[in-house]
Amino acid sequence: IKNFTISNHTEKAYRRVFYGSKNRSTMKKYITIKDIKNIEHTVQEAIQLKKNPYQFENLGKNKTLVMLFFNASLRTRLSTEKAAKSLGMNVMVLNIDDCWDLEYDNGTIMNLTKAEHIKEAANVISQYGDVIAIRIFPTLTNKEKDETEQVLNSFVKYATVPIVNMESATAHPLQALADAITISELKTTSRPKVVLTWAPHPKALPHAVANSFIKIMKEIDVDLLITHPKHYELNSNITKDVPVSHNQEEALKDADFVYAKNWSNYHDYGKIVSVDENWMLTNEKLGNAKFMHCLPVRRNVVVEDAVLDGEYSVVIEQANNRTYAAQIVLKNILKTL
Ligand code: CP
């Protein structure tokens, strides 16, 4: 035990000297945008990393990322795995559908369907992984419960290793970081006008992407405006100090970036209160602005073909930047291990 302690401390001391313990980039976890100490600096770090993605290929040697998916994914799954591997990490993926049903409440008599408690599960996964990344969507039926982020926060509480949020009930910070990187790379004025517009969708969707996008835009030098139909107000704690318009056409005027996203009703929680098909984004409404969307996107429902296939769409660049967002986050977490 003594030897292990000394060698463990020696390795940490070595890492502190080599990578700098007071480095403003280091992170203990990535649950929310607030876990990034300096967004502008991290965005620039990611842009540099993109130019030479293998510059830290040994940092994650002998470290393992465990990715837990409670919900489907294309981009998050592949980009995060690619990011981890470019840092030299091993990656293990567990689809929770293939796993035991977990209990999160304390003191429960577990004589029904839940086979394992989060206390054991999170601690056991920590024996196999040095970082745990989790995707868990909201119920969209119980706002109070969704806002406690019970699953994510239980992993934070009971795991013994850093946790990364790969989209939770209320936040998608990896997507937001990729969005900030994309805007920083493509902006042609020092303070671009960025409009987040609600768009129609046949299914009730979470608020996570919009929440995190607003939060990160508030931290960087942009002129942010939100537009949505009446009754689609988001959480006012998040939209506080951001102008909101119910007139989409007016809001989109002179925009440099237009981010389209559907979200379900926040106050009549998880409901679709109106379809508002005329809120679909068209080339005419977009003008010369760059079009952003986190993907997946429903063509000719959220946005017309001509926009996605047109010269102003940057959705593929955004998806590409998911890799460098994940990589800079993992790199800055690895530096603390
Ligand atoms: N944007 C995004 O998170 O995509 P996936 O749901 O495919 O991971």
Side-chain angles (χ1 to χ4, degrees):
I1 289 169
K2 203 173 174 189
N3 282 346
F4 170 78
T5 307
I6 288 167
S7 95
N8 205 17
H9 283 175
T10 307
E11 186 188 332
K12 282 190 175 171
Y14 165 78
R15 283 180 180 278
R16 273 198 295 275
V17 170
F18 199 75
Y19 298 113
S21 63
K22 294 215 161 47
N23 188 317
R24 54 186 165 162
S25 308
T26 55
M27 300 167 79
K28 290 281 185 198
K29 60 180 175 12
Y30 190 45
I31 301 303
T32 153
I33 302 299
K34 284 200 164 45
D35 291 319
I36 301 180
K37 289 174 196 147
N38 183 325
I39 304 272
E40 295 275 13
H41 175 75
T42 302
V43 165
Q44 293 311 316
E45 266 194 312
I47 292 170
Q48 290 311 312
L49 189 59
K50 187 175 176 179
K51 291 179 186 157
N52 182 6
Y54 303 109
Q55 58 186 292
F56 300 104
E57 64 186 346
N58 294 317
L59 185 62
K61 189 166 182 278
N62 299 331
K63 302 285 182 206
T64 299
L65 172 68
V66 175
M67 296 201 290
L68 305 178
F69 285 93
F70 290 76
N71 306 96
S73 168
L74 186 159
R75 279 144 291 273
T76 306
R77 183 169 180 157
L78 297 179
S79 62
T80 309
E81 179 163 348
K82 181 177 174 181
K85 287 182 171 169
S86 296
L87 292 164
M89 299 183 84
N90 301 310
V91 177
M92 295 195 291
V93 179
L94 180 63
N95 295 321
I96 291 289
D97 279 352
D98 300 333
C99 180
W100 306 112
D101 208 1
L102 298 178
E103 174 62 57
Y104 294 91
D105 291 330
N106 284 325
T108 313
I109 298 169
M110 291 170 54
N111 59 357
L112 295 173
T113 55
K114 308 283 178 71
E116 180 158 17
H117 200 277
I118 182 66
K119 286 184 182 179
E120 284 74 49
N123 203 339
V124 166
I125 296 166
S126 306
Q127 310 306 307
Y128 312 139
D130 300 279
V131 181
I132 301 173
I134 300 162
R135 164 162 285 200
I136 173 73
F137 288 169
T139 62
L140 286 183
T141 55
N142 184 336
K143 179 156 69 172
E144 285 69 36
K145 189 160 187 183
D146 285 346
E147 292 193 334
T148 67
E149 296 276 15
Q150 186 185 38
V151 174
L152 188 70
N153 285 331
S154 296
F155 274 97
V156 172
K157 187 170 179 184
Y158 296 118
T160 59
V161 298
I163 302 294
V164 173
N165 181 349
M166 295 195 295
E167 188 173 348
S168 64
T170 64
H172 197 353
L174 283 175
Q175 179 66 54
L177 183 54
D179 299 336
I181 294 167
T182 308
I183 289 174
S184 180
E185 282 181 320
L186 299 177
K187 68 182 182 181
T188 53
T189 59
S190 58
R191 188 176 167 83
K193 178 178 173 182
V194 177
V195 181
L196 172 65
T197 178
W198 182 92
H201 200 282
K203 286 183 70 180
L205 296 188
H207 310 95
V209 169
N211 287 346
S212 292
F213 182 72
I214 294 165
K215 280 187 178 179
I216 207 162
M217 288 301 109
K218 285 166 95 169
E219 298 290 327
I220 64 173
D221 198 14
V222 300
D223 185 10
L224 178 64
L225 175 61
I226 302 169
T227 182
H228 59 70
K230 280 183 186 156
H231 312 302
Y232 274 99
E233 281 70 24
L234 289 158
N235 182 341
S236 57
N237 292 327
I238 293 171
T239 58
K240 189 168 166 280
D241 300 330
V242 180
V244 175
S245 165
H246 297 138
N247 183 335
Q248 190 192 40
E249 210 176 300
E250 191 70 29
L252 295 180
K253 265 188 202 146
D254 302 322
D256 296 295
F257 294 89
V258 174
Y259 200 119
K261 184 72 187 85
N262 173 268
W263 56 85
S264 56
N265 196 276
Y266 178 70
H267 297 285
D268 193 0
Y269 190 62
K271 300 283 187 316
I272 300 176
V273 288
S274 63
V275 177
D276 287 307
E277 284 169 5
N278 57 338
W279 277 72
M280 180 178 80
L281 200 70
T282 62
N283 244 346
E284 198 183 338
K285 288 185 201 173
L286 186 68
N288 294 332
K290 293 185 172 62
F291 173 72
M292 300 181 74
H293 191 283
C294 59
L295 305 180
V297 68
R298 292 188 182 228
R299 282 175 171 255
N300 305 311
V301 176
V302 172
V303 54
E304 69 174 0
D305 278 338
V307 172
L308 282 169
D309 299 332
E311 60 180 312
Y312 296 119
S313 173
V314 299
V315 297
I316 304 302
E317 283 92 329
Q318 267 178 280
N320 185 29
N321 281 334
R322 289 295 308 274
T323 300
Y324 308 103
Q327 199 171 334
I328 204 68
V329 165
L330 289 173
K331 184 207 117 186
N332 290 335
I333 288 175
L334 283 169
K335 284 195 296 187
T336 69
L337 298 182

